[in-house]
Amino acid sequence: MVATDPALTALAQGWCALSLLHGKIESHIEKALQAEHQLSVREYSLLDVLSRQHSGPGGHLQMKQVADAVVLSQSATTRLVSRLEDRGLLTRYICDTDRRGIYTDVTEAGQELLAAARPTNDAALRKALDEAAQDPELTPLVRTVEGLRVPA
């Protein structure tokens, strides 16, 4: 029989609870976005991240930064950008100052879809958190998420 460090066991249990909460939230939002807007969670996240860019210094994100923000590999992010570009929601163009750089912007159609999808995303998130809060194991995590304030 192998002795287990109680601190590591508690840490592993916490990680499992966090993973469970994430899965429940993502699944709930995915269903809502697909049903209402034919968008996946990843597509919504990508549109959201790219919509926050600005044209000033450092305002446009490089593909690696975009990939990090949507928690995908660079190749998966590139494929996702291509799919949304094919749908007319994104456009790519060469950087004026560095011809090797390619930027991606949200088109007007993408902005409109994002604006329509944002309330759906927010409502699905709220509902998923409310449901998860009913599980005593997840309640503390839900309260922590609700208390987070991410700097702009």
Side-chain angles (χ1 to χ4, degrees), residues 8-137:
L8 290 177
T9 300
L11 185 62
Q13 289 171 338
W15 170 244
C16 287
L18 182 59
S19 181
L20 177 63
L21 178 61
H22 177 269
K24 285 178 177 283
I25 292 170
E26 188 169 59
S27 174
H28 201 87
I29 294 173
E30 179 81 27
K31 288 175 188 169
L33 288 173
Q34 283 289 347
E36 296 290 325
H37 308 284
Q38 294 74 51
L39 274 177
S40 71
V41 169
R42 298 288 188 208
E43 291 168 338
Y44 175 86
S45 295
L46 180 65
L47 288 171
D48 184 54
V49 165
L50 291 174
S51 74
R52 297 173 194 277
Q53 298 181 118
H54 58 84
S55 57
H60 277 87
L61 301 172
Q62 297 173 351
M63 197 55 73
K64 178 172 180 1
Q65 293 170 302
V66 174
D68 290 345
V70 295
V71 193
L72 289 173
S73 68
Q74 280 186 263
S75 61
T77 301
T78 299
R79 288 190 301 273
L80 185 57
V81 165
S82 293
R83 282 197 311 271
L84 292 179
E85 186 178 34
D86 290 345
R87 290 174 58 187
L89 303 174
L90 297 177
T91 185
R92 285 188 260 201
Y93 62 94
I94 304 291
C95 173
D96 291 337
T97 58
D98 180 357
R99 305 293 295 165
R100 296 170 296 169
I102 298 175
Y103 290 139
T104 305
D105 276 336
V106 181
T107 64
E108 188 175 323
Q111 291 286 1
E112 290 171 6
L113 180 58
L114 181 61
R118 191 167 271 128
T120 302
N121 179 79
D122 294 351
L125 173 59
R126 178 73 268 156
K127 186 172 182 187
L129 286 170
D130 289 346
E131 289 175 8
Q134 302 305 310
D135 181 336
E137 182 182 18

